[in-house]
Amino acid sequence: MNRSSRRRVEERRRRMLMTKQQKRQKKKAKLEAEAKVRNAKKAGKANLRVAFIKECNPSDADKTLYVSQLDLGDHVRQVVSRLGEFVPLEKMRGAKCVVVANLKEGVFGGVKSQGRILSGTHAKDAKKKCLVTPPADSKVGERIIFEGAEDIAPDAEIKEKNFKAFLKGLNVTNEVAMYTNLSFNTSAGKCMCPGLSAGTIA
């Protein structure tokens, strides 16, 4: 085989290799896009809202529980959280947070709770927690939106199995609050977990 023939053979091999790589990349992109759509549909079932913590006090029955009065823009609701051991009161009072607003009403430590305040936990230090924090300019009461779920109406009351599945996908990546690979978005930007490079959200 002369030099010219070898070059043609090598060129054909190179093109075949590139075609295979392109096909793999195309397939990977398709799978990722399909996963993103599935995740968006699951995330859309949760009604996450920006809330302002008007009041926050330790529960009389259990000091590890905080009883907070949350302003959601058109109404105020009471939410109990188990953050008393981890987040100082001064960081709760007057702060914005993210609340799961379509949970079934429950009772914790004998106190009625109408939702859940989401908080992040450091991947390597379970005692290091912080509120999932919306941007300062976000609007109280606005819904947290995930890419691809903009037009999905949340459940009036999210089913327990759907909520548990939703919780499993919550995480912190480079301080950004995420559901799988979708960030928590508001009209003013992304919700953050300051100081947490990686972790979980609950």
Side-chain angles (χ1 to χ4, degrees):
M1 184 183 293
N2 58 35
R3 184 179 297 178
S4 178
S5 296
R6 283 199 299 271
R7 285 178 178 174
R8 287 196 295 270
V9 170
E10 288 172 359
E11 180 64 19
R12 283 198 296 270
R13 287 175 178 171
R14 187 181 68 82
R15 288 177 179 174
M16 288 176 64
L17 181 61
M18 285 183 64
T19 301
K20 288 179 180 179
Q21 290 175 338
Q22 289 170 347
K23 285 181 178 179
R24 284 197 294 267
Q25 290 172 351
K26 189 175 181 180
K27 183 178 180 180
K28 181 181 178 182
K30 182 182 178 182
L31 291 173
E32 288 176 349
E34 290 173 349
K36 209 165 188 178
V37 170
R38 289 195 301 272
N39 292 337
K41 288 180 178 179
K42 291 177 183 177
K45 293 180 179 294
N47 187 7
L48 306 188
R49 299 282 172 175
V50 174
F52 176 75
I53 304 176
K54 293 181 66 176
E55 297 178 30
C56 181
N57 294 292
S59 167
D60 292 333
D62 184 345
K63 299 303 180 183
T64 66
L65 298 178
Y66 281 155
V67 182
S68 300
Q69 303 301 320
L70 304 185
D71 181 1
L72 276 80
D74 57 351
H75 69 284
V76 174
R77 64 172 62 188
Q78 179 171 278
V79 174
V80 178
S81 59
R82 196 172 290 279
L83 294 172
E85 291 182 275
F86 310 105
V87 182
L89 274 175
E90 58 268 23
K91 289 191 175 183
M92 296 288 291
R93 292 170 174 160
K96 282 183 177 176
C97 65
V98 174
V99 63
V100 184
N102 60 340
L103 282 176
K104 184 178 180 180
E105 186 177 296
V107 176
F108 297 92
V111 182
K112 180 175 70 175
S113 183
Q114 300 167 301
R116 178 187 288 212
I117 295 173
L118 293 181
S119 61
T121 302
H122 196 282
K124 295 182 179 180
D125 185 356
K127 292 184 178 181
K128 188 176 181 180
K129 296 179 183 286
C130 70
L131 293 175
V132 174
T133 307
D137 294 334
S138 59
K139 300 174 183 176
V140 171
E142 74 169 289
R143 188 182 174 201
I144 306 300
I145 296 296
F146 299 93
E147 182 184 350
E150 295 87 350
D151 299 323
I152 299 175
D155 294 344
E157 184 179 287
I158 190 168
K159 295 179 180 177
E160 185 177 356
K161 66 175 183 178
N162 289 337
F163 182 61
K164 286 182 177 179
F166 176 68
L167 283 178
K168 288 180 181 179
L170 296 181
N171 68 92
V172 182
T173 303
N174 296 324
E175 297 192 356
V176 179
M178 309 280 288
Y179 173 71
T180 61
N181 57 345
L182 306 174
S183 60
F184 284 43
N185 300 315
T186 72
S187 60
K190 298 176 181 178
C191 297
M192 309 296 288
C193 291
L196 302 188
S197 57
T200 57
I201 294 174

